[in-house]
Protein backbone atom coordinates (compact mmCIF):
# COMPACT_ATOMS: atom_id res chain seq x y z
CA UNK A 1 0.00 0.00 0.00
CA UNK A 2 0.86 3.66 -0.23
CA UNK A 3 1.00 4.96 3.32
CA UNK A 4 0.55 8.72 3.71
CA UNK A 5 0.80 10.26 7.17
CA UNK A 6 0.23 13.87 8.15
CA UNK A 7 1.06 15.33 4.74
CA UNK A 8 1.29 19.12 4.70
CA UNK A 9 2.35 21.14 1.66
CA UNK A 10 2.81 24.91 1.35
CA UNK A 11 3.58 27.21 -1.53
CA UNK A 12 5.37 30.30 -0.27
CA UNK A 13 3.69 30.03 3.11
CA UNK A 14 0.19 29.36 1.74
CA UNK A 15 -1.02 25.93 2.62
CA UNK A 16 -2.15 23.72 -0.29
CA UNK A 17 -2.61 20.45 1.60
CA UNK A 18 -3.39 20.06 5.27
CA UNK A 19 -2.74 17.00 7.34
CA UNK A 20 -3.66 14.39 4.73
CA UNK A 21 -3.48 10.88 6.15
CA UNK A 22 -4.58 7.76 4.31
CA UNK A 23 -3.48 4.30 3.21
CA UNK A 24 -4.10 3.42 -0.41
CA UNK A 25 -3.98 -0.33 -1.02
CA UNK A 26 -2.16 -1.47 -4.16
CA UNK A 27 -4.07 -2.99 -7.06
CA UNK A 28 -6.90 -0.50 -7.46
CA UNK A 29 -7.95 2.19 -9.89
CA UNK A 30 -8.20 5.24 -7.66
CA UNK A 31 -9.75 8.53 -8.74
CA UNK A 32 -8.51 11.73 -7.12
CA UNK A 33 -11.30 14.28 -7.32
CA UNK A 34 -11.99 17.76 -6.03
CA UNK A 35 -12.56 21.27 -7.39
CA UNK A 36 -10.01 23.42 -9.19
CA UNK A 37 -7.15 24.39 -6.92
CA UNK A 38 -8.06 21.68 -4.39
CA UNK A 39 -4.50 20.41 -4.33
CA UNK A 40 -4.93 17.31 -6.50
CA UNK A 41 -1.79 17.89 -8.58
CA UNK A 42 0.03 19.01 -5.46
CA UNK A 43 -0.94 15.74 -3.77
CA UNK A 44 0.59 13.64 -6.55
CA UNK A 45 3.69 15.82 -6.79
CA UNK A 46 4.26 15.63 -3.05
CA UNK A 47 3.89 11.84 -3.06
CA UNK A 48 6.47 11.61 -5.86
CA UNK A 49 8.73 14.26 -4.31
CA UNK A 50 8.48 16.41 -7.42
CA UNK A 51 7.79 19.15 -4.87
CA UNK A 52 8.81 19.48 -1.24
CA UNK A 53 6.40 18.77 1.57
CA UNK A 54 6.40 20.82 4.75
CA UNK A 55 5.84 17.74 6.86
CA UNK A 56 4.54 14.21 6.76
CA UNK A 57 5.72 10.84 5.54
CA UNK A 58 4.97 8.77 2.44
CA UNK A 59 5.92 5.15 1.94
CA UNK A 60 5.32 2.79 -0.96
CA UNK A 61 5.05 -0.82 0.19
CA UNK A 62 7.09 0.13 3.23
CA UNK A 63 9.81 1.77 1.14
CA UNK A 64 10.84 5.38 0.69
CA UNK A 65 10.17 6.93 -2.71
CA UNK A 66 13.91 6.90 -3.44
CA UNK A 67 13.84 3.09 -3.22
CA UNK A 68 10.54 2.65 -4.99
CA UNK A 69 10.83 5.25 -7.79
CA UNK A 70 11.60 2.75 -10.54
CA UNK A 71 8.27 1.07 -10.09
CA UNK A 72 6.36 4.32 -10.58
CA UNK A 73 5.29 6.02 -13.80
CA UNK A 74 4.01 9.60 -13.75
CA UNK A 75 2.01 11.30 -16.48
CA UNK A 76 1.90 15.01 -15.54
CA UNK A 77 -0.91 17.42 -16.30
CA UNK A 78 -0.63 18.69 -19.86
CA UNK A 79 0.53 22.21 -18.99
CA UNK A 80 3.46 20.73 -17.10
CA UNK A 81 4.87 19.06 -20.25
CA UNK A 82 7.46 20.82 -22.42
CA UNK A 83 6.28 20.53 -26.02
CA UNK A 84 8.95 22.74 -27.54
CA UNK A 85 11.60 20.06 -27.14
CA UNK A 86 12.26 18.60 -30.63
CA UNK A 87 11.78 14.86 -30.39
CA UNK A 88 9.84 12.30 -32.40
CA UNK A 89 7.21 9.97 -31.00
CA UNK A 90 9.18 6.73 -30.94
CA UNK A 91 12.17 8.33 -29.23
CA UNK A 92 9.88 9.86 -26.63
CA UNK A 93 8.42 6.45 -25.85
CA UNK A 94 11.88 4.90 -25.82
CA UNK A 95 13.02 7.27 -23.05
CA UNK A 96 10.52 5.41 -20.83
CA UNK A 97 12.87 2.41 -20.87
CA UNK A 98 15.88 4.40 -19.61
CA UNK A 99 15.35 4.04 -15.87
CA UNK A 100 15.58 0.28 -16.27
CA UNK A 101 18.80 0.39 -18.27
CA UNK A 102 22.07 -0.38 -16.56
CA UNK A 103 24.37 2.58 -16.24
CA UNK A 104 26.28 3.46 -19.47
CA UNK A 105 24.04 1.20 -21.55
CA UNK A 106 22.21 2.58 -24.54
CA UNK A 107 18.75 1.31 -25.44
CA UNK A 108 19.09 -1.66 -27.80
CA UNK A 109 16.83 -3.97 -29.75
CA UNK A 110 14.98 -5.19 -26.68
CA UNK A 111 14.13 -1.65 -25.57
CA UNK A 112 13.06 -0.61 -29.06
CA UNK A 113 10.75 -3.59 -29.33
CA UNK A 114 9.34 -2.78 -25.94
CA UNK A 115 8.68 0.80 -27.05
CA UNK A 116 6.97 -0.48 -30.22
CA UNK A 117 4.71 -2.74 -28.17
CA UNK A 118 3.73 0.16 -25.94
CA UNK A 119 2.95 2.35 -28.95
CA UNK A 120 0.73 -0.42 -30.34
CA UNK A 121 -1.13 -0.64 -27.03
CA UNK A 122 -2.34 2.94 -27.38
CA UNK A 123 -2.63 2.78 -31.18
CA UNK A 124 0.05 5.30 -32.11
CA UNK A 125 2.36 3.04 -34.16
CA UNK A 126 1.58 5.03 -37.31
CA UNK A 127 2.79 8.23 -35.61
CA UNK A 128 6.22 6.80 -34.71
CA UNK A 129 8.27 9.29 -36.75
CA UNK A 130 6.22 12.42 -36.11
CA UNK A 131 7.50 15.34 -34.05
CA UNK A 132 5.59 15.52 -30.77
CA UNK A 133 4.93 19.22 -31.40
CA UNK A 134 2.75 18.21 -34.38
CA UNK A 135 0.35 15.96 -32.51
CA UNK A 136 -3.22 16.55 -31.43
CA UNK A 137 -3.98 16.65 -27.71
CA UNK A 138 -5.27 13.08 -27.69
CA UNK A 139 -2.34 11.74 -29.70
CA UNK A 140 0.13 13.46 -27.41
CA UNK A 141 -1.54 12.10 -24.31
CA UNK A 142 -1.27 8.59 -25.79
CA UNK A 143 2.44 9.13 -26.50
CA UNK A 144 3.06 10.19 -22.90
CA UNK A 145 1.11 7.17 -21.68
CA UNK A 146 3.04 4.84 -24.01
CA UNK A 147 6.21 6.26 -22.48
CA UNK A 148 4.86 5.47 -19.01
CA UNK A 149 4.01 1.93 -20.15
CA UNK A 150 7.55 1.47 -21.43
CA UNK A 151 8.72 2.03 -17.86
CA UNK A 152 7.01 -1.25 -16.89
CA UNK A 153 5.89 0.35 -13.67
CA UNK A 154 3.68 -1.14 -10.98
CA UNK A 155 2.11 2.14 -9.94
CA UNK A 156 0.82 4.72 -12.43
CA UNK A 157 -0.02 8.33 -11.60
CA UNK A 158 -1.96 10.24 -14.24
CA UNK A 159 -2.91 13.90 -13.79
CA UNK A 160 -6.08 14.79 -15.74
CA UNK A 161 -5.32 12.49 -18.67
CA UNK A 162 -8.68 13.10 -20.34
CA UNK A 163 -8.56 16.88 -20.51
CA UNK A 164 -8.46 18.29 -24.05
CA UNK A 165 -8.47 14.96 -25.85
CA UNK A 166 -10.81 13.38 -28.41
CA UNK A 167 -13.29 10.61 -27.64
CA UNK A 168 -11.31 7.93 -29.48
CA UNK A 169 -8.20 8.68 -27.41
CA UNK A 170 -10.26 8.72 -24.24
CA UNK A 171 -11.71 5.30 -25.03
CA UNK A 172 -8.29 3.83 -25.79
CA UNK A 173 -6.88 5.19 -22.54
CA UNK A 174 -9.85 4.04 -20.47
CA UNK A 175 -9.55 0.51 -21.85
CA UNK A 176 -5.84 0.50 -21.23
CA UNK A 177 -6.29 1.60 -17.61
CA UNK A 178 -8.79 -1.19 -17.16
CA UNK A 179 -6.31 -3.74 -18.57
CA UNK A 180 -3.57 -2.43 -16.29
CA UNK A 181 -5.76 -2.76 -13.25
CA UNK A 182 -6.75 -6.28 -14.27
CA UNK A 183 -3.04 -7.04 -14.51
CA UNK A 184 -2.78 -6.05 -10.84
CA UNK A 185 -1.28 -2.58 -11.31
CA UNK A 186 -2.14 0.40 -9.13
CA UNK A 187 -3.54 3.41 -10.94
CA UNK A 188 -4.13 6.85 -9.47
CA UNK A 189 -5.89 9.32 -11.73
CA UNK A 190 -6.65 12.98 -11.07
CA UNK A 191 -10.04 13.52 -12.60
CA UNK A 192 -12.19 16.60 -12.20
CA UNK A 193 -15.24 15.46 -14.13
CA UNK A 194 -17.69 13.67 -11.87
CA UNK A 195 -19.71 11.90 -14.53
CA UNK A 196 -17.48 8.92 -15.19
CA UNK A 197 -16.30 8.37 -11.64
CA UNK A 198 -18.29 5.18 -11.10
CA UNK A 199 -17.32 3.79 -14.48
CA UNK A 200 -13.58 4.47 -14.24
CA UNK A 201 -12.62 3.91 -10.61
CA UNK A 202 -13.16 1.49 -7.78
CA UNK A 203 -11.90 3.83 -5.08
CA UNK A 204 -11.86 7.62 -4.79
CA UNK A 205 -9.95 10.22 -2.84
CA UNK A 206 -11.99 13.39 -2.43
CA UNK A 207 -9.77 16.37 -1.71
CA UNK A 208 -10.17 20.01 -0.99
CA UNK A 209 -7.01 21.05 0.77
CA UNK A 210 -7.97 18.47 3.37
CA UNK A 211 -8.97 14.88 2.82
CA UNK A 212 -12.76 14.97 2.57
CA UNK A 213 -13.21 11.24 2.07
CA UNK A 214 -11.51 8.10 0.84
CA UNK A 215 -12.94 4.69 0.12
CA UNK A 216 -14.84 2.50 -2.29
CA UNK A 217 -16.75 4.48 -4.89
CA UNK A 218 -19.98 2.75 -3.85
CA UNK A 219 -19.99 4.31 -0.39
CA UNK A 220 -17.73 7.35 -0.82
CA UNK A 221 -19.14 8.96 -3.97
CA UNK A 222 -22.10 10.49 -2.19
CA UNK A 223 -23.85 13.79 -2.73
CA UNK A 224 -22.88 14.78 0.79
CA UNK A 225 -19.15 14.20 0.23
CA UNK A 226 -19.23 15.90 -3.15
CA UNK A 227 -20.97 18.92 -1.57
CA UNK A 228 -18.40 19.20 1.17
CA UNK A 229 -15.62 19.21 -1.42
CA UNK A 230 -17.19 21.40 -4.09
CA UNK A 231 -19.32 23.57 -1.82
CA UNK A 232 -22.19 25.59 -3.14
CA UNK A 233 -20.44 26.08 -6.50
CA UNK A 234 -22.09 22.87 -7.58
CA UNK A 235 -25.54 24.22 -6.73
CA UNK A 236 -28.22 21.65 -7.18
CA UNK A 237 -26.50 19.81 -9.97
CA UNK A 238 -27.57 16.19 -10.05
CA UNK A 239 -24.61 13.96 -9.54
CA UNK A 240 -25.52 11.06 -11.73
CA UNK A 241 -24.98 7.79 -10.00
CA UNK A 242 -23.83 9.43 -6.80
CA UNK A 243 -25.31 7.81 -3.75
CA UNK A 244 -27.30 9.68 -1.11
CA UNK A 245 -30.03 12.23 -1.64
CA UNK A 246 -30.35 13.91 -5.00
CA UNK A 247 -31.91 17.20 -6.03
CA UNK A 248 -33.58 18.32 -9.19
P1 LIG B 1 -5.56 21.14 -8.51
O1 LIG B 1 -4.61 20.23 -9.22
O2 LIG B 1 -6.49 20.43 -7.58
O3 LIG B 1 -6.32 22.04 -9.44
P2 LIG B 1 -3.12 22.35 -7.49
O4 LIG B 1 -2.49 21.26 -6.72
O5 LIG B 1 -2.57 22.65 -8.84
O6 LIG B 1 -4.70 22.11 -7.56
O7 LIG B 1 -3.04 23.68 -6.66
C1 LIG B 1 -3.43 23.77 -5.29
C2 LIG B 1 -3.22 25.20 -4.80
O8 LIG B 1 -1.84 25.51 -4.78
C3 LIG B 1 -3.88 26.25 -5.67
O9 LIG B 1 -4.35 27.27 -4.84
C4 LIG B 1 -2.76 26.74 -6.55
O10 LIG B 1 -2.97 28.06 -6.94
C5 LIG B 1 -1.55 26.61 -5.63
N1 LIG B 1 -0.32 26.30 -6.40
C6 LIG B 1 -0.14 25.23 -7.19
N2 LIG B 1 1.11 25.22 -7.74
C7 LIG B 1 1.71 26.34 -7.27
C8 LIG B 1 3.01 26.92 -7.45
N3 LIG B 1 3.93 26.34 -8.22
N4 LIG B 1 3.28 28.07 -6.81
C9 LIG B 1 2.35 28.66 -6.01
N5 LIG B 1 1.14 28.19 -5.78
C10 LIG B 1 0.80 27.04 -6.41
MG1 LIG C 1 -4.17 19.97 -11.18
Amino acid sequence: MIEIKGLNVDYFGNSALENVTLNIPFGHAVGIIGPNGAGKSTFIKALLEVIKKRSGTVQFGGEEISEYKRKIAYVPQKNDIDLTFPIIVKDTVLTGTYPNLKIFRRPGKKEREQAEQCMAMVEISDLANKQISNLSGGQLQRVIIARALAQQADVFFLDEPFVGIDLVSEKIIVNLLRDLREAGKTILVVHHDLHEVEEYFDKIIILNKKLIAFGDVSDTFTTENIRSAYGSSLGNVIIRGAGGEQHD
Side-chain angles (χ1 to χ4, degrees), residues 11-12 16 34-43 45 77 159-160 190:
Y11 291 107
F12 310 108
N36 248 333
K40 304 181 295 297
S41 298
T42 300
F43 177 69
K45 288 177 185 172
Q77 211 167 344
D159 198 343
E160 308 242 18
V190 173

Side-chain angles (χ1 to χ4, degrees), residues 6-237:
L7 177 64
N8 285 282
V9 182
D10 296 342
Y11 291 107
F12 310 108
N14 296 317
S15 112
L17 285 176
E18 286 174 5
N19 201 26
V20 175
T21 297
L22 75 160
N23 295 331
I24 308 167
F26 285 141
H28 292 278
V30 183
I32 302 168
I33 63 173
N36 248 333
K40 304 181 295 297
S41 298
T42 300
F43 177 69
I44 290 190
K45 288 177 185 172
L47 259 50
L48 302 181
E49 289 192 345
V50 174
I51 57 169
K52 263 200 174 139
K53 39 189 187 286
R54 173 158 57 82
S55 60
T57 58
V58 178
Q59 289 201 320
F60 292 81
E63 293 181 320
E64 300 299 317
I65 180 81
S66 51
E67 307 281 313
Y68 198 84
K69 221 172 207 159
R70 265 180 201 206
K71 298 182 205 153
I72 297 175
Y74 170 43
V75 175
Q77 211 167 344
K78 200 172 293 150
N79 49 16
D80 282 350
I81 300 170
D82 179 8
L83 291 177
T84 57
F85 191 73
I87 184 167
I88 59 171
V89 168
K90 67 180 178 193
D91 292 342
T92 308
V93 177
L94 192 61
T95 61
T97 66
Y98 289 5
N100 292 316
L101 282 180
K102 296 224 164 57
I103 196 156
F104 299 136
R105 252 209 66 202
R106 284 167 176 280
K109 188 161 176 272
K110 180 172 152 254
E111 284 76 24
R112 277 196 298 273
E113 280 173 5
Q114 198 178 308
E116 274 164 25
Q117 266 175 25
C118 297
M119 288 194 285
M121 285 169 80
V122 288
E123 301 179 28
I124 54 166
S125 305
D126 53 329
L127 305 174
N129 293 309
K130 274 204 168 184
Q131 286 289 330
I132 58 163
S133 53
N134 293 335
L135 302 177
S136 74
Q139 290 169 335
L140 179 71
Q141 189 62 269
R142 283 188 274 157
V143 171
I144 308 292
I145 289 173
R147 182 183 181 281
L149 289 172
Q151 258 181 272
Q152 301 186 312
D154 289 330
V155 181
F156 291 80
F157 286 89
L158 297 96
D159 198 343
E160 308 242 18
F162 304 120
V163 169
I165 72 173
D166 55 288
L167 278 176
V168 172
S169 295
E170 174 158 355
K171 213 165 167 211
I172 291 169
I173 296 169
V174 168
N175 288 336
L176 172 77
L177 294 181
R178 192 169 298 136
D179 292 347
L180 287 173
R181 179 179 31 157
E182 275 164 18
K185 308 285 186 181
T186 304
I187 303 150
L188 292 102
V189 183
V190 173
H191 189 65
H192 79 258
D193 191 334
L194 298 175
H195 292 108
E196 301 92 354
V197 163
E198 293 200 302
E199 191 189 332
Y200 290 177
F201 309 116
D202 44 36
K203 289 185 184 290
I204 46 170
I205 296 168
I206 306 178
L207 273 183
N208 193 354
K209 213 184 247 196
K210 296 181 173 146
L211 180 67
I212 307 286
F214 169 65
D216 291 341
V217 171
S218 53
D219 42 52
T220 310
F221 189 53
T222 61
T223 306
E224 197 190 340
N225 282 340
I226 295 302
R227 279 238 177 83
S228 19
Y230 287 75
S232 52
S233 64
L234 214 62
N236 282 335
V237 165

